[in-house]
Amino acid sequence: MRATDFIIPCFIAMVAAAGLIRKEDVFAEFIEGARDSLKSGISVLPPLIALITAIGMFKASGALDVLTGALLPVAALLGFPGECLPLALIRPISGSGALAVFETILTDVSPDSFAGRTASVILGSTETTFYTIAVYFGVTKIKKTRQAVAASLISDITGFIFSALTVRLFFG
Amino acid sequence: MMKWVFSALLIISVIFGALEGKIAAVSEAALKSSVEAVELFLYLIGGMCMWGGLMRVAEKTKLTELTAKLFRPAAKKLFKGLDLNGGAFNAICMNFTANLLGLGNAATPLGLEAMRRLEAEESPGDTASRNMVIFIILNTASVTLLPATAAAIRMKHGSAAPMEILPAVWVTSFLSLAAGLAAAFALDGRGKGGGKDGER
C-alpha cells in the first residue's frame, strides 16, 4: 500500500461529507458539474483528432525518430530521456498536441518506466504557455508583454529538467 | 502558430515516408489515427466529468474561498501596490486556487477577470505591468494538486499506480514556478531585490 493511494479516495469522501454537512444536494450538484465538463470537454475532440493524425503520420514516416535522434545529445547532457523531447517541444504551444505526443510515448514505453514517468510529470506540471499568454493578454489592450514570455519559458524549461530529476529522486 | 505546426507535420511525414520507403505505414497512420484519437478522448472524458462533478460539489462547500484565504498572505508579497480588497487581487487569489484544485472551467474566466481588473486598477497603457507579468507566470507555471489528465492516460496504458507521480509533479511545479518568478524579477529593471520573494 502506498501513501499516494489514499489521496484520491479520501479527497472524494471528504468532499461528499463536506457537501452533506453544508446541506447541499451532493448528487444533483455532481451531475450538474459533470454535465458542464462534458460540454467543454467535447470541444477537445476535434483538435485531438487533427493532432493525433498528424503526429501518427509523423511517427510512421520515421521523421519523429530522426528529430529525437538529432536532439539526443542535448537531452543526454541534461539527463533527460530522449523519448520525452518531442513532448517538451510541443508542450508550450498546444495542449491537444501535448496529449497526442504523451499518448504516443506511452504506446512505446511503459507508463511506469523512467521515460514514461518523466513524460507524465511534464504533462502534469507544465502549461500551454503561449496559448495562455495569448488568451490572457488578449482581453487587455497590452501590446508589449515585457518579460512575460521569457520568464514563462524559463519556468517551462526548469519544469522539463526537474521532471526527470524528481522522477530519479522519487523512483530511484 | 498551430497552422504551421500542423501543416509541417503532415508535409514532412509524406516527404520522409516517401524517401524512407515507409509511405504505406504513413497511409495506415492517416487512416487509423482518428480512431485512436476517439479512444483517447473516451478515456479522458470520463475522468473530466467525474472531477468536474466532484469539484462542483467542492465549490458549493466554499472550498475555493477557503483555500483562496490561505493563498492571500503569499499573494500580498508577490503583488505589490494592489488594493487588497479590490477586484483584481481577489480574482488573482481565486484564479490561483482554481488552478491548484484543477478547476480548469472556473480558472480561465477568473484569470481573464483578473487581467481586466489589473488593467483597470493599474492603467498600464500598452505595456504589461509588473503585477500582470507575475500573474501570467502563476498561470503558465501550472501549479496543480491533481494532474488528473496525465493520470487518466497512465491508467489507459496499464500503469500499476497512475497517481504515484504526485510528489514529483508537486516538487516540479513548485520549482518551475519559483524559477519563472525569479526570472521575472531578474529581468525586471525596476524590481530591485524582489528575487527573494520569488523563491517562496
Side-chain angles (χ1 to χ4, degrees):
Chain A
M1 240 178 359
R2 296 174 197 81
T4 45
D5 286 343
F6 280 89
I7 299 173
I8 306 294
C10 291
F11 178 71
I12 294 175
M14 265 169 48
V15 169
L20 284 179
I21 291 167
R22 293 258 179 184
K23 298 197 170 38
E24 293 291 340
D25 188 340
V26 173
F27 184 67
E29 294 297 345
F30 183 98
I31 300 300
E32 211 40 58
R35 200 188 312 280
D36 284 347
S37 293
L38 184 62
K39 279 184 206 150
S40 62
I42 197 89
S43 65
V44 177
L45 185 55
L48 210 53
I49 289 175
L51 290 160
I52 287 205
T53 300
I55 288 160
M57 288 169 67
F58 194 71
K59 191 187 165 207
S61 74
L64 186 65
D65 289 340
V66 173
L67 177 70
T68 310
L71 293 168
L72 217 50
V74 186
L77 205 67
L78 299 172
F80 193 76
E83 293 92 337
C84 298
L85 283 172
L87 182 61
L89 286 180
I90 200 153
R91 184 66 182 126
I93 305 167
S94 164
S96 314
L99 281 186
V101 173
F102 183 59
E103 168 76 11
T104 311
I105 292 172
L106 289 199
T107 310
D108 287 347
V109 303
S110 158
D112 300 329
S113 64
F114 174 53
R117 282 175 175 144
T118 303
S120 310
V121 175
I122 291 175
L123 195 74
S125 63
T126 53
E127 189 42 81
T128 319
T129 299
F130 287 109
Y131 174 82
T132 306
I133 292 176
V135 172
Y136 276 32
F137 279 118
V139 297
T140 67
K141 293 189 196 70
I142 303 294
K143 295 276 180 292
K144 296 172 195 135
T145 58
R146 289 171 67 210
Q147 75 273 45
V149 173
S152 296
L153 286 181
I154 287 171
S155 155
D156 283 346
I157 292 165
T158 309
F160 299 149
I161 294 170
F162 276 95
S163 56
L165 286 177
T166 51
V167 168
R168 275 187 217 279
L169 178 72
F170 286 107
F171 301 101
Chain B
M1 183 83 183
M2 277 318 287
K3 76 174 174 188
W4 296 109
V5 175
F6 182 61
S7 317
L9 285 173
L10 296 177
I11 296 164
I12 294 170
S13 303
V14 174
I15 297 172
F16 236 86
L19 293 177
E20 299 268 302
K22 288 185 179 164
I23 199 73
V26 175
S27 172
E28 194 188 337
L31 296 170
K32 273 193 179 167
S33 297
S34 51
V35 181
E36 284 167 24
V38 176
E39 274 175 16
L40 176 60
F41 176 75
L42 286 178
Y43 264 91
L44 293 179
I45 194 70
M48 284 166 84
C49 290
M50 206 282 282
W51 286 117
L54 193 72
M55 291 320 289
R56 172 149 174 140
V57 178
E59 284 276 14
K60 291 279 164 185
T61 66
K62 308 282 182 224
L63 181 73
T64 318
E65 279 95 335
L66 282 174
T67 325
K69 266 185 202 147
L70 297 177
F71 175 61
R72 283 179 75 94
K76 263 187 229 171
K77 291 219 187 314
L78 277 179
F79 296 93
K80 301 259 164 65
L82 279 184
D83 176 5
L84 295 183
N85 298 311
F89 189 72
N90 218 19
I92 287 169
C93 290
M94 293 286 284
N95 162 270
F96 182 78
T97 308
N99 275 323
L100 195 67
L101 300 173
L103 298 162
N105 290 340
T108 306
L110 284 167
L112 299 180
E113 175 72 9
M115 287 300 282
R116 280 193 218 99
R117 298 270 185 146
L118 279 173
E119 188 174 38
E121 286 180 26
E122 303 190 305
S123 39
D126 71 343
T127 306
S129 69
R130 178 186 169 281
N131 286 333
M132 282 178 172
V133 172
I134 291 170
F135 181 62
I136 288 286
I137 290 159
L138 276 187
N139 274 274
T140 58
S142 170
V143 183
T144 189
L145 290 178
L146 280 182
T149 309
I153 302 178
R154 287 171 60 74
M155 199 165 66
K156 173 175 185 280
H157 290 279
S159 168
M163 281 292 181
E164 70 181 0
I165 53 165
L166 283 183
V169 167
W170 294 336
V171 173
T172 305
S173 297
F174 179 78
L175 290 174
S176 68
L177 173 64
L181 291 174
F185 288 121
L187 295 171
D188 184 4
R190 285 170 293 166
K192 287 172 204 123
K196 277 188 188 128
D197 287 337
E199 308 293 348
R200 249 168 246 166

